[in-house]
Amino acid sequence: MTTSLKKVDVVDLLDNAKLSRLHVSLIFWSFLIMVVDGFDLQAIGYVAPSLIKEWHLNRAAFGAAFSAGLVGMMIGATQGGTLGDRLGRKRTVLVGVVWFGLFTLVTAWVGSLGGLVALRFLAGIGLGCAVPNAIALNTEYAPKRLRATMVTLMFLGYTIGAALGGAAAAVLIPRFGWGSVFIVGGVAPLVVAALCLRFLPESVRFQLLKGGAGAGERARRQLQAWFPRAGIGQATELVLHEEVRPGFSVGHLFKEKRAPFTILLWICFIANLVTLHFIANWLPTVIESTGVPLQRAVIVTSLFQVGGTVGGIVISRLLDRGSLRPLVGFFAMAALMIAAIGMFSRSETMLEAIVFAAGFFVVGTQFGLNALAGSSYPTFIRSTGVGWALGIGRVGSIMGPAVGGILIGLKLPLEQIFLWGATPMLVGCIAATMLLRLRNEAIRAGADLQVVAGSH
């Protein structure tokens, strides 16, 4: 008498799972990774005034230190994404965290601007490496109805980490000097990495897809522990209806009808990040030019990030319903709110409300794009897809402050400055509309949604 193996579809199991301790644990550790990531990226901004004064630097010359980290992140995201599809999500995340932790720690003893630029560039590579793999890992475990929400909750750690950097700098620099910020920013990631080595799970989908000695047994034990009611035992065959395609992983982003989606997704990332970094870098200066005290201008600008946190949660819940229409709407409303900043800059009450709304839609769109990228590619190129979208998007991060500087240098009226600042979001709206159309066409044709808007 033979006993037939029970087959369990792993994707179906994970997609339809109820929220469990696995998901809570995954979000918690991923959240901590984003906290130290956000802290380290923003640390340079908080210590800049002290370094400029101590090293007798021109403020403009210090801009290279800001840009170096972003360039490093661009390289780290693209290469780290590809690495994650070869070595695994968990392993690559930990490599990235340890990498930027070590280079941030060494920065505490740097003695020149050239050394600072080099170390920020190297730290940026690690920062960029960790993010796409964290997105891929959360996407591959999240229930389908909560996928965008889990990615967004993870990314809230990034915002909190950036804010903690400011609070830590205010306490540490007067007592221990600017180097103490980098010491904290370097040690914390190393501690988090050590804990994640023990508690952060590797993707079951990745393990089964790549195979290797003991991969199936490890995946079975993990699923048994996390889903005890699924009836998984030694006589269970884990089924994954995916495969690894041969060839250069980046090339697969443009194969099997993925090219239009990939290009449009990149356009959306660039458009969003141009506007986001234009506003984040120049809004305090522009508001102050209207006669508002600088301290008040900084407070008003902080509403942009507060609004973005709320917007990120809202758009993630809307995207989890399965439509890309919210993304189109957020892009359109973001353009309208950015334009409105220039029109209502003379009214402080209106300005606060509009800046909050602008953050709601602009930063909220960024959260939505992160989640969309994570769910838009099959497992064997998921980290590559996310990493290249984030990396190409960094072009917008670098362009945003430069574009703002050009517009302000032309001495245009505020209304025109913000009208031009809204233009990238209109471009993003058009691209998002085309993404929506691609997805709808695929649904009507019964095509695999992963080539246009990801169903897994």
Side-chain angles (χ1 to χ4, degrees):
M1 181 178 178
T2 60
T3 303
S4 60
L5 291 176
K6 175 184 177 181
K7 294 186 178 182
V8 172
D9 187 318
V10 174
V11 171
D12 184 65
L13 174 65
L14 295 174
D15 277 357
N16 297 293
K18 294 181 179 179
L19 198 65
S20 67
R21 63 184 178 87
L22 159 67
H23 303 110
V24 175
S25 176
L26 180 60
I27 291 173
F28 175 77
W29 294 112
S30 301
F31 179 89
L32 282 187
I33 290 169
M34 291 299 102
V35 167
V36 295
D37 196 302
F39 185 105
D40 278 31
L41 180 63
Q42 296 300 321
I44 186 67
Y46 296 120
V47 303
S50 299
L51 287 174
I52 289 171
K53 183 177 180 180
E54 183 175 320
W55 292 351
H56 307 289
L57 294 173
N58 183 293
R59 290 185 179 182
F62 204 82
F66 293 123
S67 300
L70 294 176
V71 175
M73 286 187 72
M74 181 168 61
I75 295 172
T78 54
Q79 301 311 305
T82 302
L83 193 65
D85 285 327
R86 294 178 182 175
L87 302 181
R89 286 66 166 111
K90 175 180 177 177
R91 187 179 300 177
T92 311
V93 165
L94 296 183
V95 167
V97 174
V98 171
W99 180 285
F100 75 72
L102 289 174
F103 281 108
T104 299
L105 183 61
V106 173
T107 307
W109 292 277
V110 72
S112 67
L113 180 60
L116 179 66
V117 169
L119 288 171
R120 291 312 297 168
F121 170 77
L122 292 169
I125 293 175
L127 291 166
C129 184
V131 176
N133 289 283
I135 292 176
L137 184 59
N138 278 264
T139 299
E140 288 168 2
Y141 275 121
K144 187 176 180 180
R145 68 187 183 281
L146 295 172
R147 189 163 294 144
T149 302
M150 279 187 61
V151 172
T152 295
L153 289 175
M154 175 194 80
F155 255 95
L156 291 179
Y158 189 89
T159 304
I160 291 174
L164 286 175
V171 173
L172 293 172
I173 292 176
R175 297 183 181 182
F176 307 107
W178 58 266
S180 60
V181 176
F182 289 117
I183 292 174
V184 172
V187 172
L190 299 178
V191 173
V192 170
L195 292 170
C196 286
L197 181 64
R198 170 68 177 84
F199 296 108
L200 188 70
E202 178 56 277
S203 167
V204 167
R205 294 193 196 190
F206 177 85
Q207 291 178 66
L208 292 173
L209 195 63
K210 289 295 185 178
E217 183 57 33
R218 285 195 301 273
R220 184 180 290 107
R221 287 198 303 268
Q222 286 177 276
L223 293 176
Q224 277 181 307
W226 295 329
F227 305 105
R229 297 182 181 180
I232 297 173
Q234 291 299 319
T236 300
E237 179 184 355
L238 300 178
V239 179
L240 186 69
H241 298 292
E242 292 187 71
E243 60 183 66
V244 178
R245 307 288 172 85
F248 189 45
S249 57
V250 178
H252 283 290
L253 302 181
F254 300 92
K255 294 180 179 179
E256 300 177 82
K257 301 181 181 180
R258 296 188 190 97
F261 174 84
T262 295
I263 292 170
L264 290 169
L265 181 66
W266 289 2
I267 292 172
C268 286
F269 265 90
I270 293 172
N272 177 257
L273 287 171
V274 166
T275 301
L276 196 159
H277 284 267
F278 161 65
I279 294 296
N281 282 273
W282 288 108
L283 190 57
T285 301
V286 173
I287 293 176
E288 185 190 22
S289 70
T290 66
V292 176
L294 179 59
Q295 185 177 9
R296 185 63 182 170
V298 171
I299 293 173
V300 172
T301 304
S302 69
L303 294 174
F304 185 76
Q305 297 297 338
V306 175
T309 301
V310 179
I313 295 171
V314 171
I315 195 173
S316 65
R317 297 304 301 136
L318 294 173
L319 288 175
D320 277 332
R321 296 179 180 179
S323 174
L324 296 185
R325 288 190 181 89
L327 187 65
V328 177
F330 266 59
F331 264 114
M333 289 302 297
L336 184 62
M337 291 301 105
I338 295 298
I341 291 176
M343 299 175 187
F344 295 96
S345 59
R346 308 296 175 182
S347 170
E348 190 169 318
T349 302
M350 283 294 295
L351 183 62
E352 289 177 355
I354 291 170
V355 168
F356 178 90
F360 183 96
F361 291 110
V362 175
V363 182
T365 298
Q366 182 61 39
F367 280 107
L369 288 172
N370 290 334
L372 177 61
S375 62
S376 297
Y377 296 98
T379 302
F380 80 102
I381 54 168
R382 193 184 309 278
S383 287
T384 299
V386 177
W388 276 82
L390 290 170
I392 295 296
R394 287 296 162 191
V395 174
S397 303
I398 297 167
M399 288 173 58
V403 169
I406 292 170
L407 293 174
I408 291 171
L410 292 173
K411 298 182 180 180
L412 298 174
L414 284 182
E415 291 82 357
Q416 291 187 31
I417 289 176
F418 285 99
L419 278 174
W420 282 109
T423 303
M425 300 306 287
L426 291 177
V427 174
C429 184
I430 295 170
T433 301
M434 295 174 71
L435 285 176
L436 174 62
R437 191 169 297 174
L438 278 176
R439 188 178 193 278
N440 290 341
E441 288 175 357
I443 291 173
R444 287 193 294 269
D448 180 0
L449 294 184
Q450 278 196 338
V451 303
V452 290
S455 61
H456 296 310

